[in-house]
Structures are given as structure tokens and as C-alpha cells.
Amino acid sequence: MTQYTSSLLRLLSERGYIHQLTDAEGLDALAARQIVPGYIGFDATAPSLHIGSLVQIMMLRRLQQTGHKPVVLMGGGTTRIGDPTGRDESRKMLSDQTIEDNIASIRQVFARLLTFGDGPTDAVMVNNHDWLGKLGYIELLQEVGTHFTVNRMLTFDSVKLRLDREQPMTFLEFNYMILQGYDFRHLALHDGVRLQMGGSDQWGNIVNGIELARRKDGNDVFGLTTPLLTTADGAKMGKTAAGAVWLNEDALPAWDFWQYWRNVDDRDVGRFLRLFTDLPLDEIARLESLDGSEINAAKVVLANEVTKLVRGADAAAAAEATAAATFAGGGVGQDLPSLDVADGSIALVDALIGLGFAASRGEAKRLIAGGGARVEGQAVTDEAHVIALGGAEIRVSSGKKKHGVLRPA
RNA sequence: GGACAGGUGGCCGAGUGGUUAAAGGCAGCAGACUGUAAAUCUGCCCGCGCAAGCGUACGCUAGUUCGAAUCUAGCCCUGUCCA
């Protein structure tokens, strides 16, 4: 491992954020002597980011922790184009209003993890629609077009993969890398930004921006990418059965968020603690060395710490309490999904659907027939079973992990 | 504009007139084993229905046929090559 002099690169490297770096010595020297404003771009394709973006957000947090300035770039403009990287199919076009709404919603998460303000190391949020939207076509071609050769653009993975797989790539998407390059150049020129970070799949796009900034304005800027995060069994992070693990509370309840982290693979615990929590490294080393079932304690810490950062301390505490009550005590935690039952009784099938454990009656019945449905911890195999509440809360479970509560209304 | 190839369930991918709600794989869900882990084995995996059954579904539309994902025509979309 390279020995870095700047606290920024030391921290990033110790905690496993660095995959590629355009100029390690140059950036290290810069970070050691001045505040480095660094940015990461985020798409606004959904009302919430999911944990696939959490590494990037954490990187901005690390930047701030080590005395530098995080710049959050919202892709209000580029989202209108659609990043072809890693995609086989073109994105659906989003309306302007949807994109604006998404940006407003996504902003909430950043407010928890970064300190915004006007100070030298305070975070700021910018929207590339502000400059890309004003750019005329002729102007863009003149400004940027002369610095990109099609020959080179065709060699980029984002393009090449699409072509190799004989998937369509529209001209619109083909231009994405140019606009992203333009972003970096713009931020370097107008806001003194010196560093762009991103996932490893963004390497090509980042390098484009660096070259553009240098050729057009003689600005010397840097790029850093994080390793592509996969879980130990090779899956892309952040996808579960129920869909993505969203960062926003209104997109995914804190309980489910907490559970995601509680259930990570043993092998991922240490890595995730380093990346997604602020715990000191020696503490993490201790947690990750726990053997056998003791590693579960480390997973609880992981779940608590990440939930605290993203959802707040109250949410983390509530989720942990619910987990303790539900799994250890056999009781009912307050955080579980619940369903109000008006008539004093409900068919098990409807309860499973109402709690979100089954999407259709058929699916609920299959679950019951397969022995996966439980009422108060007891497996029920009668598809026609009706639960009588009798004024008390009843616990209904799908399998051993998904629990919900029926409340008398 | 022309020639050729192709468009099948969340994804990949068989299937070229009936036994096809559509092989197989992946992903997913559940059971067993466990530690709310991994691996492994087993079952499930379009909707409605207790069920018989019904409804939808193989790019779209119209046809041929007792019967079509499979044949015909037109259209839409994609790729490759040519202009």
C-alpha cells in the first residue's frame, strides 16, 4: 500500500474506497496543502437513491471529515439524457417535473450525511441543468466537440459493450460522456473543483472530463474511482427481492433498511463497516474477527451504525429494539409492518397480502401450502385459515425473517 | 431506400400447427439444516377460483385453420451489411 501524506487519501485507502486514481502523488500533495473541492454526480432517475450510491455519498462525507469540500452534483441535465453505462437498454425519458421532484427528494439524504453551508469546507449541491440547459448545440459542438474523437468514444466500455452485444445505443446516449466531461470542466473552471469521484464504471467518463479541463483551460484536475461493490456472493449491492434498498424513509421503512444490514453475508461485515460507518478501524478489526455465530453481534453494530447515519439515531434504536423483541423474545416489536383489522377477524390469505408478504391470493396460498406462513410463530397450512384477533395484536410471519403485526382497529 | 437476421414469462434461452401457461438456466419465495450467515438438498414460481374451470400471455393488427407462439399479409421496433 502506498503511504499517503494527506489525511484524505490515507483515510480513503485505509477504508477501502480507492480503486483507481489518476495521479496519486499529485492529488496527495494537493490534499496535503489545501482544501480540495471534490464532486460526485448523481442521477435523478428516482425519488430516492439506493445503497448502491451509498459508497459515493460516504466518500463525500470522508472528504468533509478530512477537511475538504464536498460538492454534490445533481444530474438534472444529464438525467434527461440517460447514462448508458452498464445498461443494455435505453432509459425511459423522464419529464422535467419528475426530475425536479426527484432532486428535491434525494436532497434529504445528503442533508443527513453532509454539513451544508457557506463555509470553506461546507457541502454544496449543484445541478448541471443550470449550465447544460443553457448550452446551445452549435456552442457545445465547438466547445467540446473538437476535443473528442469518435474513434476514442467508440472504445469506451459503455459504448463498446452495447455494440458488442448488438444492443441499440442512441445518439442521445452516445453524447452522455461528453456532457459529463463538460460538467467537470465547468466545475473546475467556475467553482475551483479539483477532484471527481465515482464508481469504477465511471472511470472513462471521469478521464474525459480531466482531459477536457486540461485542454480547454489548462486546469489540472484529478479522478478517483471506488471498487464496484458486490456482495460476497457476487450480486450487485442493494437489490433484494422487494426491490432496491432505498435510502429515503418514504421509499423503504427503517425496519427493512436495518434488516438489510443485519442480514449481510458474514464475509461482507468488515468491508461494510469500514465503508459505511464512522467506527474506528481497530474497533472494526475486533468486530470482524468474531467467529461463528458471534459475528451476529457485529452485524447488529453494522445495522445500527448505518441506520443511524442514513435514517437517524431514533430509527436505528427502534429497529434494534424491534429486532430484539421479535427474534429473541418471540414478541412483537413496534417497528414491524402492521395491518389494522376492523372486523375482529381476517383471513390469513388477506393478512399476508395486506402486510405485503404476498402479491396475490395465489401467492399467499402457495406460501401457506408450502408451510411458510406462521401465526404467532406457529406454522399454519390451512389455506382457508381465519385469524380471530380477540382484541389482541397477532403476529403473522412469512418464513422466519419477515414478520408483521395485525392490530385490532 | 434495399438485402438479410431477429422481436417468447423479471432476465437469458428452447420451442416451427394440437399432449404449450410454454423445456432448461438465472434471479426470487418457502421448507430442511443453521447463527435472522454461507453452502447444500427439497418444493413453489401469470391472475381469479375450495375446486372443476375461467381469464390473460409469446412485438402490433388482420387473416388461414376444428385448433396458431408456431402458417399468411400488413404494420411497428432492433441489429448487420449496402445505398
Side-chain angles (χ1 to χ4, degrees), chain A residues 39 73 126-132 134-135 143-144 178-193 209 212-213 216-217 219 221:
Chain A
Y39 89 98
L73 172 73
V126 296
N127 183 341
N128 64 11
H129 188 59
D130 292 348
W131 56 87
L132 293 180
K134 289 182 194 142
L135 213 51
E143 287 261 316
V144 191
I178 287 182
L179 294 180
Q180 190 171 331
Y182 189 86
D183 281 343
F184 199 178
R185 183 257 168 166
H186 176 95
L187 289 170
L189 189 63
H190 297 279
D191 302 287
V193 168
L212 191 62
K216 277 219 75 76
D217 315 309
N219 276 327
V221 293

Short mmCIF file of all heavy atoms in Angstrom, two decimals, chain A residues 39 73 126-132 134-135 143-144 178-193 209 212-213 216-217 219 221:
data_model
loop_
_atom_site.label_atom_id
_atom_site.label_comp_id
_atom_site.label_asym_id
_atom_site.label_seq_id
_atom_site.Cartn_x
_atom_site.Cartn_y
_atom_site.Cartn_z
N TYR A 39 -16.15 16.48 -6.34
CA TYR A 39 -17.57 16.25 -6.59
C TYR A 39 -17.86 14.84 -7.07
O TYR A 39 -16.98 14.13 -7.55
CB TYR A 39 -18.11 17.28 -7.57
CG TYR A 39 -18.03 16.92 -9.04
CD1 TYR A 39 -19.14 16.38 -9.71
CD2 TYR A 39 -16.87 17.13 -9.77
CE1 TYR A 39 -19.08 16.05 -11.06
CE2 TYR A 39 -16.81 16.82 -11.12
CZ TYR A 39 -17.91 16.27 -11.76
OH TYR A 39 -17.85 15.96 -13.09
N LEU A 73 -23.23 16.93 -7.14
CA LEU A 73 -23.75 17.33 -8.44
C LEU A 73 -25.00 16.52 -8.75
O LEU A 73 -24.94 15.31 -8.89
CB LEU A 73 -22.71 17.10 -9.53
CG LEU A 73 -23.23 17.31 -10.96
CD1 LEU A 73 -23.42 18.79 -11.25
CD2 LEU A 73 -22.31 16.69 -11.98
N VAL A 126 -25.13 21.28 -6.45
CA VAL A 126 -25.33 22.00 -7.71
C VAL A 126 -26.10 21.09 -8.67
O VAL A 126 -26.17 19.89 -8.47
CB VAL A 126 -23.98 22.42 -8.35
CG1 VAL A 126 -23.26 23.42 -7.47
CG2 VAL A 126 -23.11 21.19 -8.61
N ASN A 127 -26.64 21.71 -9.69
CA ASN A 127 -27.46 20.97 -10.64
C ASN A 127 -26.95 21.26 -12.05
O ASN A 127 -26.91 22.42 -12.47
CB ASN A 127 -28.91 21.43 -10.50
CG ASN A 127 -29.85 20.66 -11.42
OD1 ASN A 127 -29.42 20.03 -12.39
ND2 ASN A 127 -31.13 20.71 -11.11
N ASN A 128 -26.54 20.24 -12.74
CA ASN A 128 -25.91 20.52 -14.04
C ASN A 128 -26.90 21.01 -15.11
O ASN A 128 -26.49 21.45 -16.18
CB ASN A 128 -25.08 19.33 -14.54
CG ASN A 128 -25.90 18.08 -14.81
OD1 ASN A 128 -27.13 18.13 -14.83
ND2 ASN A 128 -25.21 16.98 -15.03
N HIS A 129 -28.17 20.96 -14.77
CA HIS A 129 -29.12 21.56 -15.70
C HIS A 129 -28.90 23.07 -15.81
O HIS A 129 -29.17 23.68 -16.84
CB HIS A 129 -30.55 21.28 -15.24
CG HIS A 129 -31.60 21.70 -16.24
ND1 HIS A 129 -31.64 21.20 -17.52
CD2 HIS A 129 -32.62 22.59 -16.16
CE1 HIS A 129 -32.64 21.76 -18.18
NE2 HIS A 129 -33.25 22.60 -17.37
N ASP A 130 -28.35 23.64 -14.71
CA ASP A 130 -28.12 25.08 -14.69
C ASP A 130 -27.18 25.54 -15.80
O ASP A 130 -27.30 26.65 -16.31
CB ASP A 130 -27.54 25.52 -13.33
CG ASP A 130 -28.57 25.36 -12.22
OD1 ASP A 130 -29.76 25.15 -12.54
OD2 ASP A 130 -28.18 25.45 -11.04
N TRP A 131 -26.20 24.71 -16.14
CA TRP A 131 -25.32 25.11 -17.24
C TRP A 131 -25.56 24.32 -18.53
O TRP A 131 -25.54 24.88 -19.60
CB TRP A 131 -23.84 25.08 -16.82
CG TRP A 131 -23.32 23.77 -16.30
CD1 TRP A 131 -22.82 22.75 -17.02
CD2 TRP A 131 -23.25 23.37 -14.93
NE1 TRP A 131 -22.44 21.72 -16.19
CE2 TRP A 131 -22.69 22.07 -14.90
CE3 TRP A 131 -23.60 23.97 -13.71
CZ2 TRP A 131 -22.47 21.36 -13.72
CZ3 TRP A 131 -23.37 23.26 -12.54
CH2 TRP A 131 -22.82 21.97 -12.55
N LEU A 132 -25.86 23.03 -18.37
CA LEU A 132 -26.09 22.25 -19.59
C LEU A 132 -27.36 22.72 -20.30
O LEU A 132 -27.43 22.72 -21.53
CB LEU A 132 -26.23 20.76 -19.23
CG LEU A 132 -24.98 20.08 -18.69
CD1 LEU A 132 -25.26 18.61 -18.39
CD2 LEU A 132 -23.82 20.19 -19.67
N LYS A 134 -28.44 25.57 -20.68
CA LYS A 134 -28.27 26.83 -21.43
C LYS A 134 -27.40 26.65 -22.66
O LYS A 134 -27.28 27.56 -23.48
CB LYS A 134 -27.59 27.87 -20.52
CG LYS A 134 -28.48 28.38 -19.42
CD LYS A 134 -27.71 29.43 -18.62
CE LYS A 134 -28.40 29.72 -17.31
NZ LYS A 134 -27.41 29.91 -16.23
N LEU A 135 -26.77 25.52 -22.72
CA LEU A 135 -25.80 25.29 -23.77
C LEU A 135 -26.49 25.12 -25.12
O LEU A 135 -27.37 24.29 -25.27
CB LEU A 135 -25.05 24.01 -23.41
CG LEU A 135 -23.59 23.84 -23.78
CD1 LEU A 135 -22.76 25.02 -23.33
CD2 LEU A 135 -23.09 22.56 -23.10
N GLU A 143 -17.28 24.00 -28.52
CA GLU A 143 -16.54 24.00 -27.27
C GLU A 143 -15.90 22.64 -27.00
O GLU A 143 -14.76 22.54 -26.59
CB GLU A 143 -17.51 24.27 -26.10
CG GLU A 143 -17.99 25.69 -26.01
CD GLU A 143 -17.20 26.46 -24.97
OE1 GLU A 143 -16.98 25.90 -23.88
OE2 GLU A 143 -16.80 27.59 -25.26
N VAL A 144 -16.71 21.62 -27.16
CA VAL A 144 -16.30 20.32 -26.69
C VAL A 144 -16.01 19.35 -27.83
O VAL A 144 -15.11 18.52 -27.76
CB VAL A 144 -17.41 19.70 -25.80
CG1 VAL A 144 -16.90 18.48 -25.09
CG2 VAL A 144 -17.90 20.72 -24.80
N ILE A 178 -19.88 13.12 -23.18
CA ILE A 178 -19.43 14.47 -23.50
C ILE A 178 -19.97 15.46 -22.47
O ILE A 178 -19.25 16.32 -21.97
CB ILE A 178 -19.90 14.86 -24.92
CG1 ILE A 178 -19.07 14.08 -25.94
CG2 ILE A 178 -19.80 16.35 -25.13
CD1 ILE A 178 -19.42 14.41 -27.36
N LEU A 179 -21.24 15.27 -22.14
CA LEU A 179 -21.84 16.19 -21.18
C LEU A 179 -21.23 16.01 -19.80
O LEU A 179 -21.01 16.97 -19.07
CB LEU A 179 -23.35 15.97 -21.13
CG LEU A 179 -24.07 16.34 -22.43
CD1 LEU A 179 -25.55 16.10 -22.30
CD2 LEU A 179 -23.79 17.80 -22.80
N GLN A 180 -20.95 14.77 -19.44
CA GLN A 180 -20.36 14.55 -18.13
C GLN A 180 -18.95 15.14 -18.07
O GLN A 180 -18.54 15.70 -17.06
CB GLN A 180 -20.33 13.06 -17.80
CG GLN A 180 -19.94 12.84 -16.35
CD GLN A 180 -20.11 11.40 -15.91
OE1 GLN A 180 -20.95 10.68 -16.42
NE2 GLN A 180 -19.30 10.97 -14.96
N GLY A 181 -18.24 15.02 -19.17
CA GLY A 181 -16.94 15.65 -19.25
C GLY A 181 -17.05 17.16 -19.12
O GLY A 181 -16.26 17.82 -18.44
N TYR A 182 -18.08 17.67 -19.74
CA TYR A 182 -18.30 19.11 -19.70
C TYR A 182 -18.58 19.58 -18.27
O TYR A 182 -18.15 20.65 -17.86
CB TYR A 182 -19.45 19.49 -20.63
CG TYR A 182 -19.63 20.97 -20.81
CD1 TYR A 182 -18.90 21.65 -21.79
CD2 TYR A 182 -20.49 21.70 -20.00
CE1 TYR A 182 -19.04 23.02 -21.94
CE2 TYR A 182 -20.63 23.06 -20.15
CZ TYR A 182 -19.91 23.72 -21.12
OH TYR A 182 -20.04 25.08 -21.27
N ASP A 183 -19.30 18.76 -17.53
CA ASP A 183 -19.58 19.09 -16.12
C ASP A 183 -18.30 19.34 -15.33
O ASP A 183 -18.18 20.33 -14.61
CB ASP A 183 -20.32 17.92 -15.44
CG ASP A 183 -21.80 17.89 -15.78
OD1 ASP A 183 -22.32 18.92 -16.27
OD2 ASP A 183 -22.43 16.84 -15.55
N PHE A 184 -17.40 18.40 -15.45
CA PHE A 184 -16.15 18.50 -14.69
C PHE A 184 -15.41 19.77 -15.08
O PHE A 184 -14.94 20.53 -14.24
CB PHE A 184 -15.29 17.26 -14.96
CG PHE A 184 -14.23 17.01 -13.92
CD1 PHE A 184 -13.40 15.89 -14.02
CD2 PHE A 184 -14.04 17.86 -12.83
CE1 PHE A 184 -12.42 15.63 -13.07
CE2 PHE A 184 -13.07 17.61 -11.88
CZ PHE A 184 -12.26 16.49 -12.00
N ARG A 185 -15.36 19.98 -16.37
CA ARG A 185 -14.67 21.16 -16.87
C ARG A 185 -15.33 22.43 -16.33
O ARG A 185 -14.66 23.37 -15.90
CB ARG A 185 -14.70 21.13 -18.40
CG ARG A 185 -13.97 22.25 -19.08
CD ARG A 185 -14.93 23.28 -19.59
NE ARG A 185 -14.21 24.49 -19.99
CZ ARG A 185 -14.76 25.45 -20.72
NH1 ARG A 185 -16.01 25.33 -21.13
NH2 ARG A 185 -14.09 26.53 -20.99
N HIS A 186 -16.64 22.44 -16.32
CA HIS A 186 -17.38 23.60 -15.84
C HIS A 186 -17.11 23.85 -14.36
O HIS A 186 -16.83 24.97 -13.93
CB HIS A 186 -18.88 23.40 -16.07
CG HIS A 186 -19.73 24.51 -15.53
ND1 HIS A 186 -20.16 25.57 -16.30
CD2 HIS A 186 -20.20 24.73 -14.27
CE1 HIS A 186 -20.86 26.39 -15.54
NE2 HIS A 186 -20.92 25.91 -14.31
N LEU A 187 -17.19 22.80 -13.57
CA LEU A 187 -17.00 22.93 -12.12
C LEU A 187 -15.56 23.33 -11.80
O LEU A 187 -15.31 24.08 -10.86
CB LEU A 187 -17.35 21.62 -11.42
CG LEU A 187 -18.85 21.29 -11.39
CD1 LEU A 187 -19.08 19.87 -10.89
CD2 LEU A 187 -19.60 22.29 -10.51
N ALA A 188 -14.62 22.82 -12.57
CA ALA A 188 -13.22 23.17 -12.35
C ALA A 188 -13.01 24.64 -12.66
O ALA A 188 -12.34 25.37 -11.93
CB ALA A 188 -12.32 22.30 -13.21
N LEU A 189 -13.63 25.10 -13.73
CA LEU A 189 -13.43 26.47 -14.18
C LEU A 189 -14.14 27.48 -13.28
O LEU A 189 -13.57 28.51 -12.92
CB LEU A 189 -13.96 26.59 -15.61
CG LEU A 189 -13.67 27.90 -16.35
CD1 LEU A 189 -12.17 28.07 -16.52
CD2 LEU A 189 -14.36 27.89 -17.72
N HIS A 190 -15.38 27.17 -12.90
CA HIS A 190 -16.18 28.16 -12.19
C HIS A 190 -16.20 27.99 -10.68
O HIS A 190 -16.46 28.93 -9.94
CB HIS A 190 -17.62 28.12 -12.70
CG HIS A 190 -17.72 28.50 -14.15
ND1 HIS A 190 -17.71 29.79 -14.60
CD2 HIS A 190 -17.80 27.71 -15.26
CE1 HIS A 190 -17.80 29.80 -15.92
NE2 HIS A 190 -17.85 28.54 -16.35
N ASP A 191 -15.97 26.77 -10.19
CA ASP A 191 -16.08 26.54 -8.76
C ASP A 191 -14.80 26.01 -8.13
O ASP A 191 -14.80 25.62 -6.97
CB ASP A 191 -17.24 25.57 -8.48
CG ASP A 191 -18.57 26.10 -9.02
OD1 ASP A 191 -19.11 27.03 -8.43
OD2 ASP A 191 -19.02 25.58 -10.06
N GLY A 192 -13.75 25.96 -8.91
CA GLY A 192 -12.48 25.52 -8.35
C GLY A 192 -12.43 24.05 -7.96
O GLY A 192 -11.58 23.64 -7.19
N VAL A 193 -13.35 23.26 -8.49
CA VAL A 193 -13.36 21.84 -8.17
C VAL A 193 -12.13 21.16 -8.77
O VAL A 193 -11.76 21.42 -9.91
CB VAL A 193 -14.66 21.18 -8.68
CG1 VAL A 193 -14.55 19.66 -8.62
CG2 VAL A 193 -15.84 21.66 -7.86
N GLY A 209 -13.45 14.13 -18.61
CA GLY A 209 -13.58 15.45 -18.01
C GLY A 209 -12.23 16.04 -17.67
O GLY A 209 -11.98 17.23 -17.85
N LEU A 212 -10.62 17.24 -20.81
CA LEU A 212 -11.28 18.43 -21.33
C LEU A 212 -10.87 19.66 -20.54
O LEU A 212 -10.58 20.72 -21.11
CB LEU A 212 -12.80 18.23 -21.26
CG LEU A 212 -13.63 19.27 -21.99
CD1 LEU A 212 -13.33 19.25 -23.48
CD2 LEU A 212 -15.12 19.00 -21.75
N ALA A 213 -10.82 19.52 -19.23
CA ALA A 213 -10.44 20.65 -18.38
C ALA A 213 -9.01 21.08 -18.67
O ALA A 213 -8.69 22.26 -18.67
CB ALA A 213 -10.59 20.27 -16.91
N LYS A 216 -8.86 22.56 -22.55
CA LYS A 216 -9.56 23.83 -22.77
C LYS A 216 -9.00 24.95 -21.91
O LYS A 216 -8.83 26.06 -22.36
CB LYS A 216 -11.07 23.68 -22.47
CG LYS A 216 -11.83 23.10 -23.62
CD LYS A 216 -13.21 23.76 -23.78
CE LYS A 216 -13.13 25.14 -24.39
NZ LYS A 216 -12.87 25.13 -25.84
N ASP A 217 -8.79 24.65 -20.64
CA ASP A 217 -8.47 25.71 -19.70
C ASP A 217 -7.12 25.54 -19.03
O ASP A 217 -6.73 26.36 -18.22
CB ASP A 217 -9.54 25.78 -18.59
CG ASP A 217 -10.95 25.69 -19.17
OD1 ASP A 217 -11.24 26.47 -20.09
OD2 ASP A 217 -11.73 24.84 -18.70
N ASN A 219 -6.54 23.45 -16.77
CA ASN A 219 -6.76 23.10 -15.37
C ASN A 219 -6.31 21.68 -15.10
O ASN A 219 -6.63 20.76 -15.85
CB ASN A 219 -8.24 23.25 -15.02
CG ASN A 219 -8.60 24.67 -14.66
OD1 ASN A 219 -7.78 25.39 -14.09
ND2 ASN A 219 -9.81 25.06 -15.00
N VAL A 221 -6.76 18.64 -12.96
CA VAL A 221 -7.73 18.06 -12.03
C VAL A 221 -7.55 16.55 -11.93
O VAL A 221 -6.85 15.95 -12.74
CB VAL A 221 -9.18 18.39 -12.47
CG1 VAL A 221 -9.44 19.88 -12.34
CG2 VAL A 221 -9.44 17.91 -13.87
#
